[in-house]
Amino acid sequence: MPVKLLGLSGSPRKGATEHVVEEALKAAREAFPQIYTELMVLRGRKVAPCNGCGYCKKNKTRCCIQDDMQELFDRFVAADAFLVASPVYVMGPTPQLAAFFSRLRPVHHVFPEALRNKVGGAIAVGGTRNGGQEVAVNWIINYLLTRGLVVVGGEIGGYAGGKVWSQDRGAEGAGRDDIGMDTVKGLARKVAEVAVIMHEGRKALKGTP
Ligand SMILES: Cc1cc2nc3c(=O)[nH]c(=O)nc-3n(C[C@H](O)[C@H](O)[C@H](O)COP(=O)(O)O)c2cc1C
């Protein structure tokens, strides 16, 4: 089974963030052709936030809210590595991404092995040059940590993750931010590299070839 790298766009529309994630996945594939990549978008999907009912924890089972998260949950946990991206909304990630991560609660209470030793990196796309990309990246890193993921940062210069300035001009604006896109591509290559190392390491631990 090839390593599967999933890029998640937390934007409610097809704009800058989705483009940035596509570019990130492309950079990862170019550096590591043996990996498989998948794009997941929250736009158009119905994902209610967790309401804290405790159903998953009490019954040791999946979430009882019947919406698109049932399918998204399975697709997400099937991946080995993650690039999680969000537009900056009021200096943080979108409420759509927050809802998504809140609904991963069964990972904590029911499926603790589902994301264990899997790796992830964070990307934020803001309309203003210094509009909160670093804050949003750190927020996403905390989301990843709450779900047991091993956080991977960018190469030197990229630090905490990918940070892009779209100038509120969608894909075209994001594409013009060469420095920001370099932080995204560097992060994507690093996440893919660590995922491949983890994959081989897991086999070594099990003693299989
Ligand atoms: C409700 C809302 C809040 C926003 N807040 C910020 C912000 O705090 N800082 C910032 O830089 N950009 C902010 N923006 C601009 C978006 O981050 C920016 O346009 C981004 O590129 C949108 O990504 P998308 O095209 O993938 O949706 C905000 C946009 C919206 C709709």
Coordinates of all heavy atoms in Angstrom, one line a residue, residues 9 11-18 87-92 125-133 166-171, ligand 1:
S9 N -8.9 21.1 2.5 CA -9.2 22.5 2.5 C -10.4 22.8 3.3 O -11.5 22.3 3.1 CB -9.4 23.0 1.0 OG -10.0 24.3 1.0
S11 N -11.9 25.7 3.4 CA -12.6 26.8 2.9 C -14.0 26.4 2.5 O -14.2 25.3 1.9 CB -11.9 27.4 1.7 OG -12.6 28.5 1.1
P12 N -15.0 27.3 2.7 CA -16.3 27.0 2.2 C -16.5 27.3 0.7 O -17.6 27.2 0.2 CB -17.2 27.9 3.0 CG -16.3 29.1 3.4 CD -14.9 28.5 3.5
R13 N -15.4 27.7 0.0 CA -15.6 28.0 -1.4 C -14.3 27.5 -2.2 O -13.3 27.2 -1.6 CB -15.8 29.4 -1.6 CG -14.6 30.3 -1.1 CD -14.9 31.7 -1.3 NE -13.6 32.4 -1.2 CZ -13.3 33.7 -1.5 NH1 -14.3 34.4 -1.9 NH2 -12.1 34.2 -1.4
K14 N -14.5 27.4 -3.5 CA -13.4 27.1 -4.4 C -12.6 28.4 -4.6 O -13.0 29.1 -5.5 CB -13.8 26.4 -5.7 CG -12.8 25.9 -6.5 CD -13.3 25.1 -7.7 CE -12.3 24.6 -8.7 NZ -11.3 23.7 -8.1
G15 N -11.5 28.6 -3.9 CA -10.8 29.8 -4.0 C -9.3 29.6 -3.8 O -8.7 28.7 -4.3
A16 N -8.7 30.5 -3.0 CA -7.3 30.5 -2.8 C -6.8 29.2 -2.1 O -5.8 28.6 -2.5 CB -6.9 31.7 -2.0
T17 N -7.5 28.8 -1.1 CA -7.0 27.7 -0.2 C -7.0 26.4 -1.0 O -6.0 25.6 -0.9 CB -7.9 27.6 1.0 OG1 -8.0 28.9 1.6 CG2 -7.3 26.6 2.0
E18 N -8.1 26.1 -1.7 CA -8.1 24.9 -2.5 C -7.0 24.8 -3.5 O -6.3 23.8 -3.7 CB -9.5 24.8 -3.2 CG -9.8 23.4 -3.6 CD -11.3 23.2 -4.0 OE1 -12.2 23.7 -3.3 OE2 -11.5 22.6 -5.0
P87 N -8.5 29.1 5.1 CA -8.4 30.5 4.9 C -8.4 31.1 6.3 O -8.9 30.5 7.3 CB -9.7 30.9 4.3 CG -10.4 29.6 3.9 CD -9.8 28.5 4.7
V88 N -7.8 32.3 6.5 CA -7.8 33.0 7.8 C -9.2 33.7 7.9 O -9.5 34.5 7.1 CB -6.7 34.0 7.9 CG1 -6.7 34.7 9.3 CG2 -5.3 33.3 7.7
Y89 N -9.9 33.3 8.9 CA -11.2 34.0 9.2 C -11.0 34.6 10.6 O -10.8 33.8 11.6 CB -12.4 33.0 9.2 CG -13.0 32.7 7.9 CD1 -12.4 33.1 6.7 CD2 -14.3 32.2 7.8 CE1 -13.0 32.8 5.5 CE2 -14.9 31.9 6.6 CZ -14.2 32.2 5.4 OH -14.8 32.0 4.2
V90 N -11.2 35.9 10.7 CA -11.1 36.6 12.0 C -9.9 36.0 12.8 O -10.0 35.6 14.0 CB -12.4 36.6 12.9 CG1 -13.3 37.6 12.3 CG2 -13.0 35.3 13.0
M91 N -8.7 36.0 12.1 CA -7.4 35.6 12.7 C -7.4 34.2 13.2 O -6.6 33.9 14.1 CB -7.0 36.6 13.7 CG -6.6 38.0 13.1 SD -5.8 39.1 14.2 CE -4.1 38.5 14.2
G92 N -8.2 33.3 12.6 CA -8.1 31.9 13.0 C -8.5 31.1 11.8 O -8.8 31.6 10.8
V125 N -4.1 30.7 4.7 CA -4.2 31.6 3.6 C -5.0 32.8 4.0 O -6.2 32.7 4.2 CB -4.8 30.9 2.4 CG1 -4.8 31.8 1.1 CG2 -4.1 29.6 2.0
G126 N -4.4 34.0 4.1 CA -5.1 35.2 4.5 C -5.1 36.2 3.4 O -4.3 36.2 2.5
G127 N -6.1 37.1 3.5 CA -6.3 38.1 2.5 C -5.4 39.3 2.7 O -5.1 40.1 1.8
T128 N -4.9 39.4 4.0 CA -4.0 40.5 4.4 C -2.6 39.9 4.6 O -2.5 38.8 5.0 CB -4.5 41.2 5.7 OG1 -5.9 41.5 5.5 CG2 -3.7 42.4 6.1
R129 N -1.6 40.7 4.3 CA -0.2 40.2 4.4 C 0.1 39.6 5.8 O 0.6 38.5 5.9 CB 0.8 41.3 4.1 CG 2.2 40.7 4.0 CD 3.3 41.8 4.1 NE 3.3 42.6 2.9 CZ 4.1 42.3 1.9 NH1 4.7 41.2 1.8 NH2 4.1 43.1 0.8
N130 N -0.2 40.3 6.8 CA -0.1 39.8 8.2 C -1.4 39.8 8.9 O -1.6 40.4 9.9 CB 0.9 40.7 8.9 CG 2.3 40.8 8.3 OD1 2.9 39.7 8.0 ND2 2.8 42.0 8.0
G131 N -2.3 39.0 8.3 CA -3.7 39.0 8.8 C -4.0 37.9 9.8 O -5.2 37.7 10.1
G132 N -3.0 37.2 10.3 CA -3.3 36.2 11.2 C -2.9 34.8 10.7 O -3.3 33.8 11.3
Q133 N -2.1 34.7 9.6 CA -1.7 33.4 9.1 C -0.9 32.6 10.2 O -1.1 31.4 10.3 CB -0.8 33.6 7.9 CG -1.5 33.9 6.6 CD -1.7 35.4 6.5 OE1 -1.6 36.2 7.4 NE2 -1.8 35.9 5.2
S166 N -3.2 36.0 0.0 CA -3.9 35.9 -1.3 C -4.4 37.2 -1.8 O -4.9 37.3 -2.9 CB -5.2 35.0 -1.1 OG -6.1 35.8 -0.3
Q167 N -4.2 38.3 -1.0 CA -4.7 39.6 -1.4 C -6.2 39.6 -1.7 O -6.7 40.4 -2.5 CB -3.9 40.2 -2.6 CG -2.4 40.3 -2.4 CD -1.7 40.8 -3.6 OE1 -2.1 41.8 -4.2 NE2 -0.7 40.1 -4.0
D168 N -6.9 38.6 -1.1 CA -8.4 38.5 -1.4 C -8.6 38.3 -2.9 O -9.7 38.7 -3.4 CB -9.2 39.7 -0.8 CG -9.3 39.6 0.7 OD1 -9.3 38.5 1.2 OD2 -9.4 40.7 1.3
R169 N -7.7 37.6 -3.6 CA -7.9 37.5 -5.0 C -7.9 36.0 -5.4 O -7.4 35.7 -6.5 CB -6.8 38.2 -5.8 CG -6.9 39.7 -5.7 CD -5.9 40.3 -6.6 NE -6.0 41.8 -6.5 CZ -5.1 42.6 -6.9 NH1 -4.0 42.1 -7.5 NH2 -5.2 43.9 -6.8
G170 N -8.4 35.2 -4.5 CA -8.6 33.7 -4.9 C -7.3 33.1 -5.3 O -6.2 33.5 -4.9
A171 N -7.4 32.1 -6.2 CA -6.2 31.3 -6.6 C -5.2 32.1 -7.3 O -4.0 31.9 -7.0 CB -6.7 30.2 -7.6
Ligands
LIG1 C1 -15.4 36.1 7.4 C2 -14.1 36.3 6.9 C3 -13.1 36.7 7.8 C4 -11.8 37.0 7.3 N1 -10.8 37.3 8.2 C5 -9.6 37.5 7.8 C6 -8.5 37.8 8.7 O1 -8.7 37.9 9.9 N2 -7.3 38.0 8.2 C7 -7.0 37.9 6.9 O2 -5.8 38.0 6.5 N3 -7.9 37.6 6.0 C8 -9.2 37.4 6.4 N4 -10.2 37.1 5.5 C9 -9.8 37.0 4.0 C10 -9.6 35.5 3.6 O3 -8.7 34.9 4.5 C11 -8.9 35.4 2.3 O4 -9.7 36.1 1.3 C12 -8.6 34.0 1.8 O5 -7.8 34.0 0.7 C13 -9.9 33.3 1.5 O6 -9.6 32.0 1.1 P1 -10.5 31.2 0.1 O7 -10.4 31.9 -1.2 O8 -9.9 29.8 0.0 O9 -11.9 31.1 0.6 C14 -11.5 36.8 5.9 C15 -12.5 36.5 5.0 C16 -13.8 36.2 5.5 C17 -14.9 35.8 4.5

